[in-house]
Each structure stands twice: as structure tokens, then as C-alpha cells.
Amino acid sequence: MTERLPAHLEVGGLVRSVQVAGGFATVLQKGEHDAGVILVVCCLHGRNQRLYERMPDVSGDRKWVSVKVEDTENTSEFLDYLDRRRHQDQDTWIVELDIPNAERFIGLSAQND
């Protein structure tokens, strides 16, 4: 198991990296300063939203996993899901990365934006 970077530093780094690359990034919810769960919303122009969360695998490593994809026929469902997560755990960070191939900033292969 690897040491974990404090959540506020990881979130700050994500936001700055996307901004330097010419995209838009914002913190939708601030979580626990050091150890809060981080949810990352990847999108382009606010559409085609995909939600990722880092979860432990069987080896104890933490990998980014897709947990929700926006249904283009029912976009409010995605926002409702985020709202439920926000209320379930107020220590959760929610970060939006709005840039082509946003997944690259969390070390995943690019998606078709």
C-alpha cells in the first residue's frame, strides 16, 4: 500500500493541471482536508459527464474506477446521484474537470468527448 497524498493537495494539483492545459476545473464540494474521498467528474463543455472514484483493489492499491455515467436522455439523474453522494458523506471532495480527454489527469485512458 502506498502513502496517500493529502486530499486538499491532490485536488489543488488536479485543478491547476487542468487550468494550465487550457481547461476549466472547479471544486464542487470541499471535503475533509487530509483524508476525504475524492470524486472526479470528467466532461467537455458540461456534457457527457463521467464520475470516477478511487477504490482499493484486492492488492490494496487504490485505482480510479468509473462509478456513474451521465444518461443523455436523463441528465438530472447524474446530478441527483452527485447530490446523494454529497449528503451521504460531507467529507467527500467533488471536483469537475472540463477539458478534452479529462481522464488523462487522473491517469486513465482518454474517453471520447
Side-chain angles (χ1 to χ4, degrees), residues 41-55:
V41 178
C42 295
C43 61
L44 182 60
H45 305 298
R47 295 189 304 260
N48 191 23
Q49 298 179 91
R50 300 158 316 274
L51 182 65
Y52 293 89
E53 180 175 355
R54 197 168 27 223
M55 296 184 178

Side-chain angles (χ1 to χ4, degrees), residues 75-88:
T75 56
S76 65
E77 180 196 19
F78 188 87
L79 298 175
D80 291 344
Y81 180 83
L82 277 183
D83 207 35
R84 283 193 307 275
R85 290 297 303 266
R86 192 178 276 130
H87 286 92
Q88 286 172 349

Side-chain angles (χ1 to χ4, degrees), residues 20-74:
V20 165
F24 174 79
T26 189
V27 176
L28 300 174
Q29 174 174 306
K30 286 186 179 183
E32 202 282 325
H33 192 257
D34 291 318
V37 170
I38 300 172
L39 301 178
V40 176
V41 178
C42 295
C43 61
L44 182 60
H45 305 298
R47 295 189 304 260
N48 191 23
Q49 298 179 91
R50 300 158 316 274
L51 182 65
Y52 293 89
E53 180 175 355
R54 197 168 27 223
M55 296 184 178
D57 63 12
V58 294
S59 68
D61 291 332
R62 295 167 28 89
K63 308 250 186 223
W64 288 103
V65 175
S66 174
V67 293
K68 186 77 175 160
V69 176
E70 179 182 41
D71 178 356
T72 56
E73 301 293 317
N74 185 7

